[in-house]
Amino acid sequence: MNAPFVLIGDLMIDITAVTSGPVNYASDTRAQISVHPGGASANTATWLAHLGESVHLIGALGTDAFATMFRQSFENTGVHLHATEVTDAPTGTCIVIVDSTGERTMLPDPGANSFLTQSKISDSLFCAGSHLHLSGYTLLNPATRAVGQIALARARAGNLTCSLDTASAAPISANPGAIREALGQIDVLLANTDEAAALTGFGDPAQALAALAEVVDTVVIKCGPQGALAAQGNQHVKVPALPTKVVDTTGAGDAFTAGFLVSWRAGAPLTEAVMAGGREATQAISRVGAGPKAL
């Protein structure tokens, strides 16, 4: 088995509401409600384990019922969970509203995630040959930014390869420097079109890709139903999306990241790695919830 993937990021409980139609503001809208473990890095971790990888996930949980639910849900995933227990804050929670097109809108409360410390970043995990994947949320949250920066520095000192998912367009727009400062320390950057635009100022994904590729060796921009663009060195590729019925887009990018990183780490050609990411994303959007199976 390959040396492990080490992931750092938010551990959340997703409360998902799939609506039957447009939300009736200040009134009632019928919906199907379900509860799932979530958080960008947690989602990617479960997809990596599903693909047979050795995975360690570093984060923070409260000491409440949601923390118990999260831990129990992860018991049989194959993910090694390294979660700091936080007594002064609840487990992170996200309200996910999924509309009739499958598009999701999220209302996150990071809770205990804002109390993440570097205590779980151990030398035993950050060993040569391992790969660090960092969620952009860790850098975008002022309370945890230093932890993300320490993790990247520790990974570089240990000769780990590193990847970063940019996380979310709105907080990037508020502070693009939080992500830009990390670009010189990573090998792979993954973003969607809105995140790439917020980071570079270019609304055209091809222009954004070119700008980011000047700083990061391998860049992937996920373009939803239009597929994905990617650059590696002087090579630029465009890969179409696989046709599928969209039920819930929550976690599609996280699943893509897992599929891409496994293939990229194995030395696959860029197009093949992007296709591998697309296959996992297609599975993710075909049902409610962000993980590879009902947890």
Side-chain angles (χ1 to χ4, degrees):
M1 181 175 288
N2 290 330
F5 282 91
V6 179
L7 293 89
I8 300 177
D10 288 358
L11 312 182
M12 307 284 284
I13 289 292
D14 289 348
I15 302 174
T16 300
V18 181
T19 62
S20 58
V23 174
N24 299 309
Y25 181 72
S27 186
D28 292 357
T29 303
R30 291 183 65 86
Q32 292 182 317
I33 311 295
S34 55
V35 181
H36 312 267
S41 283
N43 297 335
T44 297
T46 59
W47 282 97
L48 286 168
H50 180 69
L51 291 169
E53 298 297 316
S54 174
V55 186
H56 293 265
L57 175 62
I58 298 172
L61 293 168
T63 55
D64 49 21
F66 276 169
T68 301
M69 181 187 300
F70 191 99
R71 291 182 185 278
Q72 290 176 341
S73 296
F74 263 63
E75 282 181 357
N76 298 316
T77 62
V79 176
H80 302 282
L81 185 60
H82 307 264
T84 299
E85 286 194 353
V86 178
T87 58
D88 298 329
T91 296
T93 308
C94 186
I95 305 298
V96 184
I97 303 171
V98 182
D99 66 20
S100 58
T101 71
E103 186 57 79
R104 89 292 186 271
T105 299
M106 298 189 294
L107 304 173
D109 176 357
N113 291 292
S114 290
F115 293 84
L116 176 67
T117 69
Q118 68 182 85
S119 62
K120 298 294 184 178
I121 303 176
S122 65
D123 291 337
S124 61
L125 293 181
F126 281 61
C127 56
S130 296
H131 178 91
L132 171 67
H133 179 69
L134 182 65
S135 168
Y137 285 114
T138 303
L139 296 174
L140 291 166
N141 185 343
T144 57
R145 187 171 301 144
V147 178
Q149 293 168 339
I150 290 168
L152 286 171
R154 180 82 64 88
R156 277 312 187 200
N159 295 316
L160 278 69
T161 52
C162 302
S163 55
L164 173 68
D165 188 296
T166 50
S168 184
I172 293 174
S173 296
N175 185 11
I179 298 295
R180 288 175 184 163
E181 291 171 0
L183 297 183
Q185 296 177 280
I186 61 174
D187 302 286
V188 179
L189 179 71
L190 300 111
N192 65 26
T193 52
D194 291 339
E195 293 156 6
L199 196 55
T200 65
F202 293 117
D204 177 10
Q207 287 183 288
L209 180 71
L212 293 168
E214 292 181 0
V215 187
V216 183
D217 181 67
T218 301
V219 180
V220 181
I221 297 181
K222 298 161 286 184
C223 306
Q226 284 74 49
L229 304 176
Q232 191 171 69
N234 295 323
Q235 181 186 13
H236 287 228
V237 302
K238 182 177 182 179
V239 178
L242 295 171
T244 189
K245 180 182 178 181
V246 180
V247 175
D248 177 8
T249 59
T250 308
D254 306 327
F256 183 104
T257 293
F260 178 86
L261 287 178
V262 170
S263 188
W264 171 84
R265 196 181 186 200
L270 182 60
T271 298
E272 183 178 321
V274 175
M275 291 176 64
R279 286 193 296 271
E280 303 310 313
T282 297
Q283 291 188 54
I285 64 177
S286 66
R287 62 173 191 80
V288 176
K293 57 184 178 180
L295 296 177

